[in-house]
Amino acid sequence: MHFVDLWLTRSLSMCLLLQSFVLMILCFHSASMCPKGCLCSHSGGLNVSCSNANLKEIPRDLPPETVLLYLDSNQITSIPNEIFKDLHQLRVLNLSKNGIEFIDEHAFKGVAETLQTLDLSDNRIQSVHKNAFNNLKARARIANNPWHCDCTLQQVLRSMASNHETANNVICKTSVLDEHAGRPFLNAANDADLCNLPKKTTDYAMLVTMFGWFTMVISYVVYYVRQNQEDARRHLEYLKSLPSRQKKPDEADDVSTVVIFWIPASMLLLEKASGLAKRRD
C-alpha cells in the first residue's frame, strides 16, 4: 500500500507539472503571436487589444483564434479586402475613432457570418460599396460619420440585419437632395426613394427636350405657312391692281380658269413648305 500511495503521489505531481508546462507553452505561443503594439489575453477566447497603438493600418498577423479585436483610437484610414478572412471565430470588432474613409467591397469576407458587433462610429466614412455589408449579421454602429445619403447608402442599409436602428442613427452630412442634408437618413428615405430619383430626373429631362423640339417644329410650320399666306395675299393684291379692260366672254372664262387653278396651286405650295419644314427638323 505504501508503494501504491507513493506512486500515486508522484503521478499526481507529474500530471500537475505536465499541465503547468502545457499551459506555459500555450501562453508563450499566444504571446509570441500577438501583433506588435497589441495586448493579448484569454477570457472566453483570445482577446486582442490594439487600442491607442498608433496603428496606420490593420495588422496582418492577427491570431486566427481571435474572438474580440479592439482597433479603436488609431490612425487607420481604410479596410482592405479580406483583411479578416482567417478570423473565423471573431465576434466583436471595434474600429471606432479612426480616420477610416474607404471600405472595400469584400472587407468583411470570412467574418460576416460570425460577427456579432461591429463598431465603425466616429470615422470619416462618406460612402461604401453597395455590397460591403452583404451577409453581415452583426449589430453595426456607423454613427458620427459624414455620410452622403444616396441610393447606394439606401441599398447598404437595407442589406443589413438591424437596418432600422442603424439608419435611425445615420445623419446625412450631404445628400442627393439638398433638403435632406443634416437630417437622419431614415427620415430622408421615408420622404423619397433615393434610388428612383435618377430615373425621374431622366424622365423629366426627356419630356422637356421633347416638348422643346415639338414647340420648335410647330413654330417653323406656322412661320412658313404665314410667310406663304402673306406672299399669296400680295400676289392677289397685285393682280387686283392691274388695269382692267373689257374682255370677251372667252377671255373672262380663261381668267377665271387661271384663278381657279392658281388657288389650288397656292395651297399645294403651302403644303410643300410645311413638309420641307418638317424634314429640316
Side-chain angles (χ1 to χ4, degrees):
M1 292 294 295
H2 179 71
F3 176 77
V4 174
D5 292 339
L6 181 62
W7 181 81
L8 289 175
T9 302
R10 289 184 178 180
S11 297
L12 182 60
S13 300
M14 289 296 294
C15 184
L16 292 174
L17 182 61
L18 183 60
Q19 288 181 353
S20 300
F21 181 72
V22 171
L23 185 60
M24 288 177 62
I25 291 177
L26 290 175
C27 291
F28 177 77
H29 181 66
S30 298
S32 64
M33 292 183 63
C34 198
K36 184 179 180 180
C38 303
L39 297 176
C40 297
S41 61
H42 283 271
S43 176
L46 180 60
N47 301 339
V48 180
S49 178
C50 305
S51 305
N52 292 295
N54 294 319
L55 297 178
K56 295 185 178 180
E57 60 181 20
I58 297 172
R60 295 184 178 273
D61 55 346
L62 293 166
E65 64 272 22
T66 301
V67 175
L68 278 68
L69 178 57
Y70 296 93
L71 294 165
D72 54 295
S73 304
N74 283 290
Q75 303 170 28
I76 299 170
T77 58
S78 64
I79 306 177
N81 280 327
E82 303 184 2
I83 189 67
F84 306 112
K85 66 176 182 178
D86 296 325
L87 309 183
H88 302 299
Q89 301 179 44
L90 190 64
R91 294 199 307 266
V92 176
L93 176 58
N94 189 339
L95 284 159
S96 64
K97 298 178 181 178
N98 277 282
I100 297 173
E101 298 180 11
F102 306 104
I103 300 177
D104 287 334
E105 179 181 359
H106 304 294
F108 300 104
K109 184 176 182 180
V111 297
E113 299 287 343
T114 61
L115 267 182
Q116 297 176 4
T117 301
L118 172 64
D119 195 343
L120 291 168
S121 59
D122 298 290
N123 279 287
R124 300 175 185 172
I125 308 170
Q126 297 182 11
S127 61
V128 295
H129 191 278
K130 65 179 181 179
N131 298 326
F133 297 134
N134 270 9
N135 303 318
L136 188 68
K137 306 301 182 184
R139 183 179 298 276
R141 301 189 184 105
I142 58 175
N144 298 328
N145 281 286
W147 289 105
H148 175 69
C149 294
D150 58 2
C151 176
T152 300
L153 182 60
Q154 181 172 307
Q155 292 175 330
V156 166
L157 293 178
R158 282 178 178 175
S159 70
M160 298 174 71
S162 56
N163 67 81
H164 181 84
E165 179 181 350
T166 302
N168 200 36
N169 293 326
V170 172
I171 305 298
C172 301
K173 178 69 174 180
T174 57
S175 176
V176 290
L177 297 176
D178 293 338
E179 61 268 27
H180 291 162
R183 297 175 56 192
F185 175 80
L186 193 60
N187 293 346
N190 288 337
D191 289 348
D193 187 351
L194 302 181
C195 290
N196 284 334
L197 293 179
K199 181 179 178 181
K200 291 181 179 178
T201 303
T202 303
D203 291 344
Y204 292 150
M206 290 181 63
L207 287 174
V208 171
T209 303
M210 292 176 62
F211 179 77
W213 279 106
F214 182 76
T215 303
M216 187 179 298
V217 170
I218 295 298
S219 300
Y220 275 123
V221 171
V222 171
Y223 169 77
Y224 278 108
V225 170
R226 288 185 177 179
Q227 187 69 25
N228 284 279
Q229 284 179 342
E230 184 66 19
D231 291 342
R233 185 184 63 78
R234 289 177 181 175
H235 191 66
L236 286 174
E237 289 179 354
Y238 171 74
L239 291 177
K240 290 180 181 179
S241 66
L242 292 177
S244 59
R245 62 184 181 85
Q246 288 186 346
K247 300 179 180 61
K248 296 178 181 180
D250 324 348
E251 294 177 348
D253 292 341
D254 292 340
V255 171
S256 300
T257 302
V258 170
V259 172
I260 290 172
F261 281 103
W262 180 84
I263 293 174
S266 299
M267 296 300 295
L268 181 60
L269 180 62
L270 291 176
E271 291 178 2
K272 287 184 177 181
S274 300
L276 179 61
K278 291 179 180 180
R279 285 198 297 274
R280 287 182 178 178
D281 294 335

